[in-house]
Each structure stands twice: as structure tokens, then as C-alpha cells.
Amino acid sequence: MQSILIVLFGIAGMLFGWFVYSKFIATKIFKMDDNFVTPAHELNDGIDYVPTNKLVLWGHHFTSVAGAAPIVGPAIAVYWGWVPAVLWVVFGTIFFAGVHDMGALWASTRHKGKSMGALSESVIGKRTRVLFMIVVFLLLLMVNAVFGVVIANSLVANPSAVVPAWAAIVVALIIGQLLKRQIPLIPLCVIGVAVLYATIFMGAEMPVSLPTEMFGLTDKANWIVILFIYAAVASLLPVWMLLQPRDFINGMQLLVGLVLLYGAVFVVMPDITAPAFNTQTAIDTPSIIPLLFVTIACGAVSGFHGIVSSGTSSKQLDKETDGRFVGYLGAVGEGCLALITLVAVSGVMLAVSPEEWHEIYSHLGAGSVSAFITGGSNLISEGWGFSAEIAATLLAVMVVLFAGTTMDSGVRLQRYIIQEWGDIYNIGVLKNGLVATFVAVACCLLLAFGAGGASGTGGMVLWPLFGSTNQILASLTLLVLSVYLIKLGRPAKYTLIPMVFVILMAFFAGLIKLVEYYEKGNWLLVVLDLIVLVVSVLVMLEAWSVIGKHKQNKTSDEGEIEN
């Protein structure tokens, strides 16, 4: 029964965020204008800059920023107790993530679809741009390399997910062509989702596995290579051909999944067996503050969202006012997924008693995706009468498709960053999309196999840096938005207060991890963590200097007017 109270609390909060808070920020602070000509119209090239229906763009944005993170983060963070996790997911979505995502989308749209890294030059200065883009590239490298491992592991562990995962690409290509020919969206959506779910049943009957060894590589390593070849091709195709329809169909598939999960909660009304505040944590468990706030990233606020908002979504925005629907509602979707994940891993559908729950969650990091799939599939099976195998396949496919869409967008975004470097430093060869894509994928594969050997899991070497780096990037994005608002003469507290909180938590977490890496003698992570921490301090100082000069000039101008 406690699960219903959690769900009702979360839904009430999300509704307030969408109908009240987001409307206030969009109209009174960002002052979004339907008459503003967006980059999608101004720079329409039919490849990256394409005016897009807000429903389709929401699907792209939502699934690109989602990935597996809003599942993994909450499923790990519940270890500290479900109460702090639920509070951070709900309030983080309303006052942090929604404003961050919508703001990055709005600011990028106002600057010809520039990424937050390139945009920081216009708002703060050239040195900030260089520093910002180092963090962005490092984060994209981590995300792409690690998500390749995550998807490969899922495909090996769940052979029934292979057919629906790849069938989704074929479905998306067909829908993209039909949408281009002005076929109505709603019928295509219904048919596409129906076909996608039909392939889930097919996958359960037709599991596909690669040979355990092929071309001198393991099955997981071969999947990683295949996935990056696919991502390279996908990143070069026009967004309307594959990226948009695939992400949209996946978004609709997720909505169906959320309906099944939330609906099952009201049918089953499961009790919560996880502790509200866990007092039985392992001896070596780090403090809940600040680690909770970097463990739950995409379920509350995430720097990666700002990269997507200012990387792909801003180039497809049809009307500036659509930014509220795409950006803020995309964050709400993430929050809803994180919330139902917490319910799935906290209740009797995963562990029938507190003792069993503590056995599963014996230490921080236990549970994770496997706990969500187990708890969620049991919940769906109990609530809707599906077989346990079908329910588990459905959720496994959801995880794979989400991670896949994030990887698609991640490689494209990395290509954008490399092309921006070509423009900034006037390196002609890097401006070429094909070359930039090759460089992006080569960097990911070099990390995957250079640091991980034949297993291809080298991305996991840098993954411990993701939490603090991702949140530091979120704080830097909020900082750029704050400086931009100050320059426009508008209230900046709605971005400035979240920025201060996030940077304090992320910087503190980065320092804790720095000590941990030093004690373990992991000098690579020590150096990279130091770079991220130093960069964040330098950007803050640059921003403070710009704000000071702006206020000084404003005061001088006002004095001249009075005299």
C-alpha cells in the first residue's frame, strides 16, 4: 500500500512542475516567443537542422537523455533508503532538471543551435569555451564507450531482446520515410508501437546469440564493434530518416511501459520492504551527502541532458515555445521512470521481506538494472497477468532500446563537438561530417579496446568519474544560463540557486572520489578527476568576473544617465 502513496506524491509533484512551475519559467523568465525564427528554420539543411513536430522531437529528446541512467541511478541509490531517493527524484525533477533541460534548449535555440560548450564563449568568454568543451568531450566519451558495454551485456544476457532491439531500427526507417511523405503521425505511432511489441513476443520465441568467440573476440566484444559501426552510420543519416522516428517510437514504447508499471502499482498495491532510511549499511559505504546527488543523475538533474538539449534538440525545434514541451516534459518523463524504478526495487515484488531486501542490497552498487528488471517484471506479471518471461523481456528490451538511442545521439553529439573544434580552430578536415564521425568512433573504440583489451570494456575504466563529472557539467550549464539571464536583465535565481547546490554536491563528491583514487593508486582517474575539478573552478571564476564587469558597466551606465 505504501507504494501508492509514493506514486501519488510523485505524480502530484510532476503535475505541479508541468502546469505551474514550467509555465512560469518559460513565459516570465525565458520569455519564449513563437515569432522567433528557430535554427531549424533559419539553417534548415535537411540533415541536422530540421523543423520537427514537437511530439516527435519530445520522443527523440526523452529517449536520448534517458538511456539506462534513470533506472541505474535510483536502483543503486535506494540503498541509502527510499525516502531520500524519492524526495530527490521528485524535487530534483521539478526545480532542477526541468529548468536545466528547458533552459539549455532555449539558450541554444537563441544562438543558432550552438552546443553549451560553444555557447559559453558568447556568454562568458573564449577560455570558458575551451574548458567547457573538454568536460563535454570527456563525458561523451565515457557515455558512448560505457553504453556500448551496457547494451552488449544486455544482448548477451537476454538473447530474446536481440530481435526486437534490431527490429526497432527497421521499423524506424520505414516510419521515417512515411512521415517524410506526410502520412499522419498518430496512425504511424499506433502501428509502429504495435509492431515493436509484436517483435518482443517474437524475440521470446526466437532468441539470438553470437558465438562465444568470433574473429578472436568474445560475443560481448563483437556486439560492441557492431554497435559502434551502426552508431557511426546512424550519426551520418539525416535526423528525419532514423534518429527522430526511432527515438519517437521508443518514447511511445516507454509510455506504454510506464502505463503498465504504474497501472500495476494500483492493481497490486505492493508494500514497501526497503527501509525508509537504511541504518544497516556496510561499513565502507560512503556518506549519503553528497553521493546521493551524483548517483541519481538523470532521474533528477544531469549534465548530459544539456548536451542533448543544445546538441540535437535545439536544431530541430519548430517553434521556440515547443521548448517547454520538449525540454521540461522530457525531464518529467525521466523523473517518472526514476520514480517507478524506486517502487520496483523497494517493494515485495523484488523482496518479500526486509531481510530478503537487505540480502539483495548487501552493499552500495548491488541491485541496479537486474533488480529493476526482476522487481518490475514481477509487478507487471502480477498486475496484468503476463508471463514472467514476457514481462522480463519487455523490460530488458526497454533498457536496451533506451541505451541504444542514447548511444545513437551520443555519437552524433560527439561528431558535432569535433566539427565545432574544426570551426573554432579552422581545421578544415574536422569540419567534414564523415571524418568527424570516424574520429569520434575511433576515440570510443580506442578507449574500449585500448584500456579494456579484447573484452572491449575499457569504457568502464573511466566510468567511476561519470557521476561527479556529469553533475559538474550540469552546474556549469546552469551557470551559463544564469550569466545569460543576468546579461538580459532577468531574474537569475531560478537557475543560480540550483547551480550552487549542484556544484557544491558534485565538487564535494569529486574530492571524495579523488582521495579514493589516490589511495588505490589509480593515477589515471586522479589526473582526470583533478582536471574536471580545476576546470569547474576556472569556469566559475571566469563567470564571476564577467558578472562583476557586467554589474560595474551597468552601474556606470546608470550613473551617466542620472547625470
Side-chain angles (χ1 to χ4, degrees), residues 29 32 132 140 180 235 257 276 306 329 344 360 466 504 540 548:
I29 307 302
M32 293 181 170
F132 208 112
L140 285 172
K180 190 71 172 177
S235 75
L329 204 58
I360 296 172
F466 176 78
L504 287 175
M540 293 289 168

Side-chain angles (χ1 to χ4, degrees), residues 46-50 52 234 237-245 312 316 412 416:
I47 298 176
D48 297 319
Y49 293 84
V50 179
T52 304
L237 294 176
V239 289
W240 61 265
M241 186 178 291
L242 177 59
L243 190 70
Q244 286 178 353
T312 57
Q316 302 169 57
R412 184 179 288 262
Y416 288 162

Side-chain angles (χ1 to χ4, degrees), residues 329-346:
L329 204 58
V332 167
E334 289 250 311
C336 289
L337 178 56
L339 187 69
I340 200 64
T341 296
L342 288 171
V343 172
V345 300
S346 299

